[in-house]
Amino acid sequence: MAKVHAYLNFNGNCAEAFSFYEKVFKTENLGIHRYGDMPSEPGDPELPEGTGDLVMHTAININDDTMLMGSDIIEQFSELPTEGTRSYIMLDTDSADEAKELYGSLSENAKKIEMELAESFFAEQFASFIDQFGVCWMIIYEGDKRMA
């Protein structure tokens, strides 16, 4: 069965965001490729001034089955990302304590708390928020309320 990983696009602060996520998930970065490292091919457009240090690709393992990847977007290569709520990263935790720890870390300086971490009719713990980098997160611990 295929694994699902989240790929996040940023407007120049990917390295800062992933440094933060490394602390939250207590993991190390798997490596960073920067736009300036990209070999040039005949006919390729030149990189805009000041973009060589931007992150072309980076990744961390959250656990054995889940990877978080990201990059800074350069407008000449792709449409710039905009903040919004089209996609969320859902963290399905193994305990209420893990949910509390992740919520406490990830929601630090959050742009918007949509739902504080609390019990709901469908979960022992649930939260929804937009972190300081504009990434939308949900944290859940279903516990005894797990669906069949």
Side-chain angles (χ1 to χ4, degrees):
M1 183 60 80
K3 294 179 183 177
V4 176
H5 302 302
Y7 203 101
L8 309 175
N9 293 319
F10 295 88
N11 285 317
N13 61 345
C14 182
E16 178 186 357
F18 270 75
S19 178
F20 175 74
Y21 299 143
E22 288 171 43
K23 291 176 196 162
V24 168
F25 295 108
K26 300 175 177 92
T27 188
E28 292 183 16
N29 196 292
L30 298 174
I32 297 176
H33 297 288
R34 300 196 183 268
Y35 282 100
D37 300 332
M38 194 169 47
S40 61
E41 298 287 331
D44 283 352
E46 286 194 36
L47 289 174
E49 180 95 17
T51 59
D53 284 338
L54 293 178
V55 175
M56 186 176 77
H57 176 76
T58 191
I60 61 172
N61 283 321
I62 292 176
N63 59 41
D64 290 341
D65 296 318
T66 308
M67 185 180 291
L68 188 63
M69 297 176 279
S71 66
D72 288 311
I73 299 301
I74 297 176
E75 193 168 17
Q76 77 183 62
F77 299 133
S78 181
E79 184 175 332
L80 291 176
T82 57
E83 293 180 16
T85 55
R86 287 190 331 187
S87 299
Y88 282 78
I89 299 172
M90 168 74 90
L91 301 174
D92 188 354
T93 64
D94 291 328
S95 69
D97 287 339
E98 183 184 16
K100 289 174 187 171
E101 182 180 349
L102 285 170
Y103 177 75
S105 297
L106 273 174
S107 65
E108 181 182 320
N109 300 319
K111 289 187 176 195
K112 182 177 183 183
I113 303 292
E114 297 165 326
M115 289 181 67
E116 292 274 349
L117 185 68
E119 186 172 354
S120 70
F121 74 93
F122 58 87
E124 288 187 25
Q125 297 287 299
F126 179 79
S128 176
F129 58 95
I130 301 171
D131 78 9
Q132 62 185 309
F133 301 102
V135 176
C136 301
W137 296 87
M138 291 179 184
I139 297 175
I140 191 167
Y141 172 63
E142 290 176 297
D144 292 336
K145 297 182 179 188
R146 183 172 296 278
M147 294 175 60

